[in-house]
Amino acid sequence: GNSVTQMEGPVTLSEEAFLTINCTYTATGYPSLFWYVQYPGEGLQLLLKATKADDKGSNKGFEATYRKETTSFHLEKGSVQVSDSAVYFCALADYGGSQGNLIFGKGTKLSVKP
Amino acid sequence: ETGVTQTPRHLVMGMTNKKSLKCEQHLGHNAMYWYKQSAKKPLELMFVYNFKEQTENNSVPSRFSPECPNSSHLFLHLHTLQPEDSALYLCASSQDRGVGVGYGYTFGSGTRLTVV
């Protein structure tokens, strides 16, 4: 079945460092792909998404490109801030006919130190 | 303003209590979901409703009882819970369970439940 694998955390970076969180997927067809972010004590918020191959989703300085050839959707940010400390979830839309779901990865915790 | 509101934000209950969690969405969505998020565990999908009909129950113990009176409201009734049920309970909604899933889910802020 469809699945999402993202890198294990936690990831600890210094402020202004470059961030990459890896995400790969297994799916039939061409699912939409998502990154969600969860700040402490909050629910998940949609960070960005891409709906087809070579699409780049971007928001708040974060980017991810839908790579069909490598089945990947890695999250990147050029210069992280302390306020980016959160848990990041990669997800894909598993349409499954009329019983679609989002399939989430296990989450990667990011801590950014000043 | 996320469009999905969960109440209460925090709940402490004894093992013999009965309580309910409430979720309300103002997005015009037709599918609603309950998730459980425990420390150091992946998100667990508990229940799914589509157009008010329950379409998924992922082997959730009967001490958790969902209710969806209309497409905008979702409840999770709790009774005789165990300490291991302590977790963050998240509600989410989507346009539907077909191609609408491709637009993603909108989550509420969650209810932090502690069972003592």
Side-chain angles (χ1 to χ4, degrees):
Chain A
N2 295 349
S3 64
V4 171
T5 303
Q6 60 182 107
M7 62 188 287
E8 296 276 340
V11 174
T12 302
L13 296 174
S14 297
E15 207 164 22
E16 299 184 2
F18 185 87
L19 168 71
T20 300
I21 300 178
N22 290 337
C23 173
T24 57
Y25 67 91
T26 301
T28 54
Y30 306 98
S32 294
L33 300 173
F34 306 82
W35 277 101
Y36 280 80
V37 58
Q38 184 178 29
Y39 298 104
E42 296 294 325
L44 280 68
Q45 301 174 26
L46 178 63
L47 181 60
L48 54 85
K49 72 174 186 180
T51 57
K52 60 184 188 296
D54 300 324
D55 264 3
K56 177 184 284 188
S58 61
N59 187 23
K60 300 181 181 179
F62 291 89
E63 293 183 340
T65 300
Y66 192 142
R67 300 284 188 205
K68 175 171 162 291
E69 62 276 12
T70 54
T71 61
S72 65
F73 193 54
H74 304 321
L75 182 68
E76 297 182 334
K77 186 175 186 183
S79 176
V80 293
Q81 305 301 311
V82 172
S83 56
D84 294 326
S85 298
V87 181
Y88 293 82
F89 293 88
C90 185
L92 69 80
D94 182 355
Y95 295 102
S98 62
Q99 302 294 325
N101 279 328
L102 286 192
I103 296 176
F104 289 90
K106 294 182 178 181
T108 302
K109 183 175 182 179
L110 170 66
S111 294
V112 181
K113 307 296 184 187
Chain B
E1 176 58 57
T2 64
V4 177
T5 304
Q6 289 188 244
T7 53
R9 287 296 306 272
H10 301 274
L11 178 63
V12 179
M13 60 185 289
M15 289 190 284
T16 58
N17 290 161
K18 289 185 180 181
K19 296 286 184 184
S20 296
L21 310 185
K22 180 182 177 183
C23 176
E24 186 174 0
Q25 57 95 1
H26 303 281
L27 300 167
H29 288 171
N30 294 301
M32 297 187 78
Y33 309 79
W34 278 117
Y35 280 88
K36 177 183 179 182
Q37 188 178 36
S38 306
K40 302 192 189 306
K41 285 189 174 181
L43 283 169
E44 297 175 51
L45 179 62
M46 300 175 71
F47 301 104
V48 184
Y49 279 81
N50 195 30
F51 293 92
K52 302 189 298 178
E53 299 297 319
Q54 184 174 314
T55 56
E56 207 157 321
N57 174 344
N58 285 321
S59 303
V60 180
S62 59
R63 57 186 184 270
F64 295 91
S65 174
E67 179 190 2
C68 187
N70 54 62
S71 292
S72 299
H73 294 85
L74 184 65
F75 296 89
L76 188 63
H77 304 300
L78 315 171
H79 64 98
T80 58
L81 294 192
Q82 305 299 310
E84 60 265 28
D85 296 322
S86 298
L88 181 67
Y89 288 84
L90 292 165
C91 173
S93 69
S94 67
Q95 193 171 53
D96 54 46
R97 291 201 70 199
V99 294
V101 170
Y103 296 99
Y105 292 174
T106 301
F107 282 84
S109 296
T111 295
R112 173 67 62 186
L113 173 67
T114 303
V115 181
V116 297

